[in-house]
Amino acid sequence: MSTAARRTTVTRKKPAAKKKGGGGFNRFLRTAAFIALLAVLIVAGLTAGIIATYSTHLPDINRMADFQPERSTQVFARDGTVLADLYKQNRIWVPLDKVPVMVRNAFVASEDAHFYTHHGIDFEGILRAGLADWRHQPIQGGSTITQQLARGLFLSNEVSISRKIQEALLAIEIERYYTKDEILERYLNLIYLGSGAYGVEAAAHTYFGTNVGNLTLAQAAMLAGIVPAPSDYSPYVNLDLAKQRQHHVLDRMLANGLITPEQAESAETDPINLSGERAEGLQSYKYPYFTTYVVHRLDETFGTQATFEGGLTVDTTLDPKMQQLAQSAIDWGVAQAAVEGINAHQAALVAIRPQTGEILAMVGGTGWTLDNQFNRAWQARRQPGSSFKVYVYTAAIDSGIPPTEIVEDTPVSYPMGDGTMWSPKDDDNRFYGAMTLRYALAQSRNVVAVKLAERLGIDRVIEYAKRMGIKEKLEPNLSLALGSEGISPLEQATGYATLANAGIHIDPSPIRLVKDSFGSVVLDNQYPQQTEVVSAGTAFVMTQMLTSVITEGTGYPNAIIGRPAAGKTGTTTDFRDAWFVGYTPDLVTAVWLGNDNYTRMNESYGGNIPARVWARFMKAALADVPHHEFEMPKSEVRKVRLCGSGRIEYFLQGTGPPESCGSVEDTPVKAAPKAVPAETTTPVPPGMVGDGEHFMNVNNGQTVTAAPAPANTP
């Protein structure tokens, strides 16, 4: 074979070798491409499977359209003073068009700069957040606003891959069905901004004491900076960190062209004007004794969810000035009891407008704290003592028994269910024989009240007590005539208010008007139900008898207030409770004094500290109110000058003496003069007898009632 031929052969062999090598590489490429494609398909399949798996468990985003956020209920006094914001979450919903663009931009720049261009997920933002975290730079949100909304509305705060996948899928779905404005509105109202505030409106009030529409750029930037870590970045927690976050938000707004350098520089130095951190929950309630009672009534009427999440607007009956006067009077009374060694550590007061049933003031004790929230004005059930006698005497007058009826104050005994005998008596352990009902009531003689209750029937007494406003269960025992069953100061004020309102009973209420979150009235107490439970004549005669308690009886002189008034003292066995309940035509007030553990006081009578507290409050509360007389219903009541004493007395038509001794001029009804009816002529030993509440003076064998004034008067 020639050399040329060999070269040709060799030359031909070399390409063959190249062909062999090229085919192997191509096969490698084809194999690699196949593997890559297979990997992509596997990944795609796995991704599709994961998406399919998690998609089947996603919440229905259509719920977002029906989402009703929790809204705080606002409670106001009658003068517009805010008493409380009731909420589980402090949130005040505000439409987006009420949120300034500057405030929106602050949140968007800080949390999601590409909010208006992405479709739920911002991969660039995720990368930026990761790099910032790696470089230990300020926190930047990796989740979009839409993702944060999805998390807040539908998911928990669990940190896991599965939750992140669901969050991303939900965000994509939300972006498909809702506009950017709808998403942003819900986000700005849902986001937690620290210090108990949810949403920008509640946060504006919490931090700056204003509406979101009034926020400055500096304030808006500070709010937006709180979002990543509310417990750390709240200006109430760490003002320095809050300022750093404010600076970061302003930088982001500047970088995105949302503000000018001048605006950013100005906002850095503008004052923040924090309003001061407010206590949450019960601690934030103004006048908590009254306000907690309002909350109780709202919960009773509308339920807990509506009360704390329904966004109600509640106009109450509270008169803030009277409430302050009431608290001052109660605090004074307890302090005075300490000075006088009476050993009384608590007291309560309730004041009602009789014509409407409105509770104008309610003080449930002295020293309200989170550890001492017990409201003695309506939660305490204490024996009313002789202040309960008003129901016995009302039943008697309404039954046709006149105020001049003679009843013997003499020993009497009654068999008890256990085989023993009960012998009622007074604190002075004396009996004074025959006396009129008016005199017996003024001097609070126990035996007369028990005899009267037996004559009427104890069930009838209970009936009148219930009619007039007592809600508690009352046992049908004769001792009830002396106030043996526990009732609340609120109930006592209600019962007496029935007399002050001419026999018309109105259930007391701390609420005037309630509107729902749409402004519709859902409760209107401005025109309460009125029920005539005793005649106007009976109420007037009883009122005149009760004026004697103040002008010449157990309430004299501590309950004198310089205007027509009626009332009754109450003191229980062993001095465990002391009361004064009284009224004018314009105001009814019940006062209780005692100890929560039922420890006995040191000779504390209703005519002493309680009467002085009552007078102190009534004088101040009515200082600007004209004097009004109790109006006599002439068609039902006779005005008679009694023969012998010349005293004026009042009788229901058809009762009492047939005619007057001398003419009775048709003049305004005044309080009865300080004298005793001539009918009461039982001789008694000379000198003072009694124990402070029950007393008598004696002049020449005739009874008169001029009690010496205690050492301290209001």
Side-chain angles (χ1 to χ4, degrees):
M1 182 178 293
S2 64
T3 302
R6 286 197 301 270
R7 288 177 179 170
T8 301
T9 303
V10 171
T11 301
R12 287 174 180 171
K13 285 181 180 179
K14 286 181 179 178
K18 287 181 180 179
K19 183 178 181 181
K20 180 179 179 181
F25 181 71
N26 288 337
R27 281 195 299 275
F28 170 76
L29 290 178
R30 286 194 298 271
T31 301
F34 174 77
I35 292 173
L37 177 61
L38 182 61
V40 168
L41 291 174
I42 290 173
V43 170
L46 288 173
T47 301
I50 290 171
I51 291 174
T53 299
Y54 285 102
S55 294
T56 58
H57 299 290
L58 288 179
D60 181 7
I61 65 165
N62 289 322
R63 286 167 40 201
M64 191 170 121
D66 301 325
F67 174 67
Q68 293 294 323
E70 296 175 7
R71 304 187 184 191
S72 67
T73 289
Q74 293 189 296
V75 182
F76 300 92
R78 64 190 310 118
D79 67 351
T81 300
V82 177
L83 300 180
D85 285 320
L86 310 178
Y87 51 79
K88 287 187 176 178
Q89 293 183 348
N90 180 17
R91 188 194 316 280
I92 306 171
W93 190 271
V94 60
L96 190 64
D97 60 8
K98 300 296 183 183
V99 181
V101 173
M102 171 264 295
V103 177
R104 305 181 214 173
N105 287 342
F107 282 85
V108 170
S110 177
E111 291 300 305
D112 190 358
H114 300 122
F115 172 68
Y116 287 103
T117 57
H118 67 61
H119 298 287
I121 302 175
D122 183 6
F123 293 103
E124 181 181 339
I126 294 172
L127 178 61
R128 185 178 67 250
L131 288 173
D133 183 57
W134 180 67
R135 294 170 179 169
H136 303 290
Q137 293 175 339
I139 294 175
Q140 298 186 27
S143 296
T144 66
I145 281 176
T146 314
Q147 285 176 276
Q148 293 180 51
L149 178 63
R151 183 191 316 151
L153 281 176
F154 302 109
L155 302 172
S156 69
N157 287 321
E158 172 196 0
V159 179
S160 66
I161 294 176
S162 63
R163 205 271 295 152
K164 280 290 184 183
I165 292 172
Q166 286 185 312
E167 180 184 295
L169 294 175
L170 272 173
I172 293 171
E173 283 293 289
I174 288 171
E175 291 273 353
R176 288 179 60 196
Y177 291 99
Y178 295 93
T179 68
K180 291 291 186 180
D181 281 354
E182 289 173 330
I183 294 169
L184 186 60
E185 178 179 277
R186 284 163 174 76
Y187 172 80
L188 291 176
N189 281 287
L190 181 75
I191 194 71
Y192 180 58
L193 291 167
S195 296
Y198 290 79
V200 291
E201 179 72 4
H205 284 281
T206 297
Y207 292 113
F208 311 115
T210 188
N211 297 323
V212 68
N214 297 327
L215 293 178
T216 65
L217 175 59
Q219 293 169 334
M222 182 164 284
L223 284 189
I226 293 173
V227 175
S231 60
D232 296 325
Y233 295 152
S234 163
Y236 292 144
V237 175
N238 191 321
L239 185 57
D240 289 338
L241 278 179
K243 289 290 292 183
Q244 291 177 28
R245 289 295 302 163
Q246 178 199 47
H247 174 78
H248 167 73
V249 173
L250 292 171
D251 277 354
R252 297 294 302 161
M253 294 180 76
L254 182 60
N256 285 277
L258 299 173
I259 56 175
T260 66
E262 292 76 20
Q263 288 175 311
E265 184 178 353
S266 176
E268 291 273 10
T269 58
D270 280 350
I272 297 301
N273 295 326
L274 290 172
S275 61
E277 188 167 14
R278 295 181 299 172
E280 295 185 49
L282 291 177
Q283 290 175 301
S284 69
Y285 292 0
K286 196 171 183 66
Y287 310 123
Y289 283 121
F290 177 85
T291 304
T292 52
Y293 180 59
V294 172
V295 174
H296 164 74
R297 292 291 296 269
L298 289 172
D299 185 74
E300 194 176 54
T301 304
F302 299 104
T304 302
Q305 184 172 359
T307 298
F308 289 92
E309 304 173 33
L312 305 176
T313 299
V314 183
D315 293 328
T316 73
T317 60
L318 184 76
D319 183 321
K321 179 182 176 183
M322 280 198 191
Q323 182 71 11
Q324 293 168 21
L325 293 172
Q327 186 68 67
S328 175
I330 286 297
D331 292 343
W332 175 88
V334 173
Q336 192 64 26
V339 169
E340 298 178 18
I342 290 176
N343 186 37
H345 301 104
Q346 278 297 347
L349 183 154
V350 178
I352 294 176
R353 177 171 291 161
Q355 293 79 16
T356 61
E358 294 174 296
I359 300 172
L360 301 178
M362 174 183 280
V363 175
T366 184
W368 192 95
T369 65
L370 286 177
D371 297 325
N372 183 21
Q373 300 172 26
F374 185 59
N375 192 333
R376 297 153 195 85
W378 70 275
Q379 291 177 306
R381 301 295 183 268
R382 305 296 297 234
Q383 291 184 348
S386 293
S387 69
F388 190 87
K389 291 174 183 175
V390 70
Y391 308 112
V392 178
Y393 281 82
T394 299
I397 297 298
D398 207 43
S399 300
I401 302 175
T404 52
E405 182 86 356
I406 300 296
V407 179
E408 294 286 339
D409 180 17
T410 53
V412 65
S413 296
Y414 299 96
M416 304 297 288
D418 60 1
T420 61
M421 299 295 289
W422 175 56
S423 302
K425 59 182 180 180
D426 284 273
D427 294 330
D428 57 11
N429 292 313
R430 291 177 179 270
F431 300 93
Y432 296 107
M435 59 182 63
T436 63
L437 291 190
R438 176 188 281 271
Y439 184 78
L441 180 60
Q443 301 303 327
S444 200
R445 302 306 295 174
N446 287 341
V447 173
V448 174
V450 173
K451 287 183 175 180
L452 194 57
E454 181 193 29
R455 175 177 171 183
L456 294 166
I458 196 64
D459 288 336
R460 187 162 178 79
V461 172
I462 292 174
E463 177 192 346
Y464 274 80
K466 294 289 188 180
R467 281 190 199 177
M468 294 169 68
I470 303 303
K471 303 294 185 183
E472 292 300 312
K473 181 180 179 181
L474 302 175
E475 293 295 333
N477 302 315
L478 281 178
S479 62
L480 178 64
L482 306 182
S484 60
E485 294 288 336
I487 58 180
S488 71
L490 176 59
E491 288 176 291
Q492 275 296 71
T494 304
Y496 281 63
T498 299
L499 296 179
N501 194 32
I504 297 173
H505 172 73
I506 299 174
D507 284 335
S509 177
I511 299 169
R512 298 173 64 213
L513 199 68
V514 179
K515 295 180 181 178
D516 63 20
S517 59
F518 301 102
S520 299
V521 175
V522 292
L523 178 65
D524 189 347
N525 282 335
Q526 295 178 101
Y527 305 98
Q529 180 178 348
Q530 304 184 39
T531 306
E532 183 176 7
V533 296
V534 297
S535 70
T538 294
F540 179 81
V541 172
M542 273 302 302
T543 294
Q544 292 306 309
M545 292 173 67
L546 290 169
T547 62
S548 291
V549 174
I550 294 175
T551 61
E552 58 186 355
T554 56
Y556 178 83
N558 288 333
I560 295 289
I561 60 174
R563 65 173 69 213
K568 184 69 187 75
T569 55
T571 306
T572 60
T573 304
D574 294 330
F575 305 109
R576 300 185 192 280
D577 301 274
W579 297 70
F580 192 88
V581 189
Y583 57 93
T584 70
D586 304 288
L587 189 64
V588 180
T589 300
V591 174
W592 167 85
L593 181 76
N595 293 307
D596 289 339
N597 61 1
Y598 291 89
T599 302
R600 64 171 292 161
M601 297 174 283
N602 296 327
E603 294 195 22
S604 178
Y605 296 93
N608 187 10
I609 296 289
R612 292 151 69 189
V613 169
W614 180 86
R616 191 181 188 90
F617 170 74
M618 294 291 280
K619 288 177 183 178
L622 297 172
D624 298 326
V625 178
H627 290 205
H628 294 128
E629 305 287 346
F630 292 107
E631 185 175 349
M632 184 179 83
K634 295 180 180 178
S635 63
E636 299 183 32
V637 174
R638 298 170 56 228
K639 183 180 181 182
V640 175
R641 187 182 303 278
L642 298 175
C643 298
S645 67
R647 176 176 183 144
I648 299 296
E649 188 57 89
Y650 300 90
F651 301 92
L652 292 181
Q653 293 289 354
T655 67
E659 57 186 29
S660 300
C661 287
S663 62
V664 180
E665 67 281 4
D666 191 13
T667 57
V669 177
K670 302 292 185 181
K674 190 175 68 177
V676 175
E679 290 84 345
T680 305
T681 57
T682 303
V684 293
M688 171 68 75
V689 294
D691 53 14
E693 178 174 1
H694 305 130
F695 58 83
M696 278 190 185
N697 285 338
V698 178
N699 284 324
N700 300 322
Q702 298 297 316
T703 57
V704 296
T705 54
N712 297 289
T713 58

